[in-house]
Amino acid sequence: MTATNEAGGYKLYWMIWGVLLALTVVMLFLDNAPMPRVAFVLIMVGAMLTKAFLIAGYFMHLRYEALFIRLSVFIGLLVNGAVLYFLIIPDAYRILGMS
Amino acid sequence: MAEAAQQVMEDRWAGGTCPFDAGWRKVMMWTFIITDGLLFAGFLASYGYARIMSGSWPNQSEVFSIPMIALMTFILISSSATMASAVAAAQSGDRKGVSRFMLLTIVGGAIFLGMQVWEWSHLIHEGARLHANPWGDAAFGAYFFLITGFHGTHVLSGVLVIAIMALRWAKGSATAEGIEMTGLYWHFVDLVWVFVFTCFYLL
């Protein structure tokens, strides 16, 4: 049985669609809400990653694929992306502090 | 020993002697998605670097029409759901369903592109250029055109690929696996937009 066969029918996809839309509405609502910057960034990044996991997991059927594919995508994209970001960002703050 | 190794292969990697447990088309598509995704990750990391270093980045809500960007997001998410439905229809042999859902996906992608053209025209009219803009740091315009342009090019190629696959499906020369690979690409375009929307327009 392929990953797609296991992934369920239309109903699941439209449920995921509803969750994605709800998350987007929450993000837009919070865009103008008064709150500390750190909390705002954490909530936004959390919602963004949740949406990404839902799209990759259900629409792209990644959660039904073999562990090797899941690890390749997770390490290849998310971990590499995070390492890339956190390696260069401190340098940006250093340059900002020099000016 | 050999049995134990075999057990590990089957249990831990779930693919037995074929670790990916998938056809070459799917493995190649995932490889492409990872490499292309890293390109976008590089762009967004570079954008974050430039923005923090700048110290005077323009306020997005004063530059962009956030309700319109929200509508673009709604359309792209909806087109992803219709594409997923097209894949499910192809798997279950529903030929008319595939054509219907792919047509809806094409319409969604075309509307998204039209709105992006409008957004670009509007900002160019207001003075946004690759090297300068009226709102602040000069890099703002460069990153806006680079990131949204690169994503828009992916949307355009996705719409074209889906249209070609829809025609092939109507002629009976496309397979369910082909529809699935097309869907993987389209969902990737949607996935990238999730990051662009959050990092560029909201944060």
Side-chain angles (χ1 to χ4, degrees), chain A residues 53-71:
Chain A
F53 276 111
L54 286 173
I55 292 169
Y58 290 93
F59 284 170
M60 300 171 90
H61 307 141
L62 192 59
R63 69 191 301 265
Y64 307 100
E65 298 291 357
L67 183 62
F68 210 113
I69 291 186
R70 280 183 277 155
L71 283 178

Side-chain angles (χ1 to χ4, degrees), chain B residues 15-111:
Chain B
T17 52
C18 179
F20 287 106
D21 196 25
W24 67 268
R25 290 182 181 88
K26 186 181 281 188
V27 174
M28 289 300 104
M29 180 53 85
W30 274 113
T31 305
F32 165 75
I33 285 171
I34 292 169
T35 53
D36 206 26
L38 279 173
L39 200 57
F40 277 104
F43 285 158
L44 288 174
S46 166
Y47 159 72
Y49 184 91
R51 183 172 165 177
I52 290 170
M53 196 175 65
S54 151
S56 61
W57 204 255
N59 185 346
Q60 297 103 312
S61 57
E62 292 171 6
V63 178
F64 302 116
S65 167
I66 297 298
M68 197 192 78
I69 305 301
L71 184 59
M72 288 168 70
T73 304
F74 166 77
I75 289 165
L76 207 58
I77 289 173
S78 301
S79 75
S80 213
T82 55
M83 190 66 224
S85 300
V87 173
Q91 293 288 332
S92 61
D94 177 6
R95 295 197 66 82
K96 285 185 178 175
V98 174
S99 299
R100 188 172 62 242
F101 283 122
M102 287 183 92
L103 182 63
L104 285 171
T105 309
I106 292 167
V107 170
I111 293 173

Side-chain angles (χ1 to χ4, degrees), chain A residues 4 14 17 65 67 91 95, chain B residues 12 26 49 78 85 180:
Chain A
T4 311
W14 291 99
W17 171 78
E65 298 291 357
L67 183 62
D91 197 42
I95 293 172
Chain B
R12 300 294 297 274
K26 186 181 281 188
Y49 184 91
S78 301
S85 300
E180 187 188 355

Side-chain angles (χ1 to χ4, degrees), chain B:
Chain B
M1 185 68 179
E3 283 179 14
Q6 182 67 23
Q7 191 65 35
V8 168
M9 288 287 283
E10 287 173 359
D11 291 349
R12 300 294 297 274
W13 299 95
T17 52
C18 179
F20 287 106
D21 196 25
W24 67 268
R25 290 182 181 88
K26 186 181 281 188
V27 174
M28 289 300 104
M29 180 53 85
W30 274 113
T31 305
F32 165 75
I33 285 171
I34 292 169
T35 53
D36 206 26
L38 279 173
L39 200 57
F40 277 104
F43 285 158
L44 288 174
S46 166
Y47 159 72
Y49 184 91
R51 183 172 165 177
I52 290 170
M53 196 175 65
S54 151
S56 61
W57 204 255
N59 185 346
Q60 297 103 312
S61 57
E62 292 171 6
V63 178
F64 302 116
S65 167
I66 297 298
M68 197 192 78
I69 305 301
L71 184 59
M72 288 168 70
T73 304
F74 166 77
I75 289 165
L76 207 58
I77 289 173
S78 301
S79 75
S80 213
T82 55
M83 190 66 224
S85 300
V87 173
Q91 293 288 332
S92 61
D94 177 6
R95 295 197 66 82
K96 285 185 178 175
V98 174
S99 299
R100 188 172 62 242
F101 283 122
M102 287 183 92
L103 182 63
L104 285 171
T105 309
I106 292 167
V107 170
I111 293 173
F112 180 92
L113 279 173
M115 293 178 82
Q116 193 165 49
V117 167
W118 185 88
E119 186 194 25
W120 272 44
S121 310
H122 179 69
L123 290 179
I124 290 170
H125 181 73
E126 291 199 345
R129 300 287 184 274
L130 279 171
H131 56 84
N133 67 79
W135 305 287
D137 197 300
F140 175 76
Y143 277 105
F144 168 74
F145 288 118
L146 174 75
I147 294 174
T148 61
F150 201 65
H151 178 264
T153 310
H154 279 70
V155 176
L156 176 63
S157 53
V159 168
L160 292 174
V161 168
I162 294 169
I164 291 167
M165 286 304 290
L167 286 173
R168 290 188 62 203
W169 181 263
K171 287 180 182 174
S173 58
T175 62
E177 191 189 19
I179 303 294
E180 187 188 355
M181 296 309 106
T182 310
L184 270 179
Y185 178 77
W186 190 252
H187 299 313
F188 168 68
V189 170
D190 185 27
L191 188 69
V192 168
W193 183 253
V194 166
F195 286 86
V196 172
F197 172 65
T198 309
C199 297
F200 205 90
Y201 292 98
L202 295 183
L203 284 179

